[in-house]
Amino acid sequence: MSATQPFATEVERLGLLRRGDRIDRVHGRGLEAICHALSSTFHGAFTCVVADDAYGRGIAVSVDPNGMHPSPRELSPFIDAIGPEAALFIPNARDDRRFAEEPLVTGPARVRFFAGIRLYRDDGVAFGALCVGAAKRHVATPHERGVLADLATAVETTIDIHRAARNAQALAITDSQTGLPNRAGLLLEIERVIRERRNDGASFALIYIDVDDFKAVNDTLGHAAGDDILRAVAVGMRRSAGTAASASRLGGDEFVIVIPHAEMADAAIVAERIHSELAKVGHERSREVSFSLGLATFTTPPATALAALAVADRLMYAAKRNGKNRIESALEG
């Protein structure tokens, strides 16, 4: 098991879990197999992986051959009693003053034996517990205690691998300079929106944004100043695009806003708001920086994400040809 990490408050620990992956997103065969192995070791007892995070406590995966169906609320007094370093073993909860009157003991489940061990991420943050319980009293053998510890490590490893895979996937579709989705992430988002609009027949829009004369900015002010402008563009886009829209960096000084649901008039309002917000980028730096935008609203989804991008790209270049620092719009049927 990973070393535990001390926290000043429970709020601090839960705050880290809020920012991490939630365990209840993992429903793979790996965790179920672990629960089955633990249930077999303890002769058909119920077993479960309990998620503990800032959103509440829930059962992520369970094996319950006898239909005991313990709820997270019923399990909580037992889980809260588990120490940070050692597993908890209760031979007969009815004889234990801490648990004798708990609903899990007195109710339909009539739990007597209980064992649990805390689970930790690789950074030392506790994220849940592996639990096992049965309706018959039982004194865990050294072998059974060892199995519980080993399977807890297996759960931790499974979750860590899942988190690492998700993080690697996120990095693969994220622009490191701005934190926005990159070209790959953008194409995935557009394809997703196209599939949805084919199903519901609604309109969507793309806003293609280009920094006017960005090469001159790099040449005269240096790449550090250019990078600062690109990051500021990302911030301005996020701030002004609206919660329903998503912003991406296509590459270089080109950005794209995807508005999943938008009629042309609504999309035009968003484009004007973004253009006004981006105008502040230059003003705040006492530099002449302007932006050309191409707004394409699609009433019929195009065949591919690349086809949709090509339409918005053409409109952006039309804005450049017509004097730059402007918006060119079109409705695509």
Side-chain angles (χ1 to χ4, degrees):
M1 293 178 62
S2 303
T4 63
Q5 178 174 324
F7 298 99
T9 65
E10 181 69 356
V11 172
E12 180 185 354
R13 181 182 76 88
L14 294 178
L16 287 172
L17 288 172
R18 183 189 296 274
R19 293 191 293 274
D21 286 342
R22 298 186 65 191
I23 184 176
D24 60 9
R25 292 178 181 169
V26 184
H27 296 287
R29 294 179 180 176
L31 292 184
E32 292 180 2
I34 290 170
C35 286
H36 276 291
L38 188 59
S39 179
S40 296
T41 300
F42 286 92
H43 315 293
F46 83 78
T47 60
C48 60
V49 175
V50 177
D52 188 12
D53 65 18
Y55 299 90
R57 178 167 281 171
I59 295 176
V61 177
S62 68
V63 170
D64 193 2
N66 297 314
M68 301 178 80
H69 304 301
S71 70
R73 182 183 294 274
E74 290 174 327
L75 288 167
S76 284
F78 295 84
I79 294 171
D80 293 340
I82 301 172
E85 301 290 347
L88 173 68
F89 291 92
I90 305 170
N92 187 351
R94 201 74 175 112
D95 294 339
D96 192 314
R97 289 184 301 172
R98 295 172 298 171
F99 311 108
E101 301 303 321
E102 292 294 338
L104 194 61
V105 178
T106 61
R110 299 181 61 81
V111 166
R112 295 298 179 262
F113 170 73
F114 178 88
I117 188 168
R118 289 208 175 271
L119 301 170
Y120 294 90
R121 298 191 321 199
D122 55 5
D123 58 4
V125 178
F127 65 80
L130 177 62
C131 304
V132 55
K136 294 182 179 179
R137 69 179 305 276
H138 176 70
V139 177
T141 67
H143 170 73
E144 291 169 339
R145 290 169 178 258
V147 169
L148 179 63
D150 290 343
L151 291 180
T153 300
V155 172
E156 293 170 339
T157 302
T158 300
I159 299 301
D160 286 340
I161 290 172
H162 170 77
R163 290 179 63 236
R166 288 182 64 87
N167 290 340
Q169 182 183 38
L171 287 173
I173 59 174
T174 301
D175 174 58
S176 59
Q177 190 172 46
T178 63
L180 297 176
N182 59 16
R183 179 185 176 86
L186 170 64
L187 293 176
L188 287 173
E189 174 64 6
I190 298 175
E191 291 289 359
R192 181 190 69 80
V193 172
I194 286 175
R195 288 194 300 271
E196 290 182 355
R197 298 299 77 79
R198 283 176 183 155
N199 289 333
D200 62 20
S203 301
F204 77 97
L206 299 183
I207 304 173
Y208 202 119
I209 302 167
D210 183 86
V211 184
D212 293 328
D213 303 314
F214 185 68
K215 184 178 183 301
V217 173
N218 279 333
D219 291 345
T220 58
L221 300 175
H223 287 279
D227 291 346
D228 175 59
I229 288 173
L230 294 178
R231 287 189 290 269
V233 169
V235 171
M237 288 169 55
R238 284 196 188 102
R239 192 161 49 209
S240 57
T243 56
S246 61
S248 301
R249 184 186 180 192
L250 187 57
D253 61 338
E254 297 181 332
F255 299 82
V256 175
I257 300 284
V258 181
I259 311 176
H261 289 89
E263 300 295 332
M264 187 172 185
D266 297 327
I269 292 172
V270 175
E272 290 285 357
R273 186 170 65 234
I274 292 170
H275 195 226
S276 297
E277 181 69 28
L278 294 182
K280 300 175 185 177
V281 171
H283 296 322
E284 291 170 353
R285 290 160 178 76
S286 300
R287 294 165 186 160
E288 292 295 329
V289 182
S290 64
F291 301 86
S292 295
L293 282 63
L295 167 61
T297 304
F298 299 90
T299 57
T300 300
T304 65
L306 289 175
L309 270 180
V311 175
D313 184 39
R314 272 198 314 272
L315 291 167
M316 182 274 293
Y317 275 105
K320 286 188 174 294
R321 287 194 304 271
N322 292 328
K324 302 179 182 177
N325 195 25
R326 56 183 289 128
I327 303 170
E328 290 290 339
S329 305
L331 186 65
E332 296 290 318

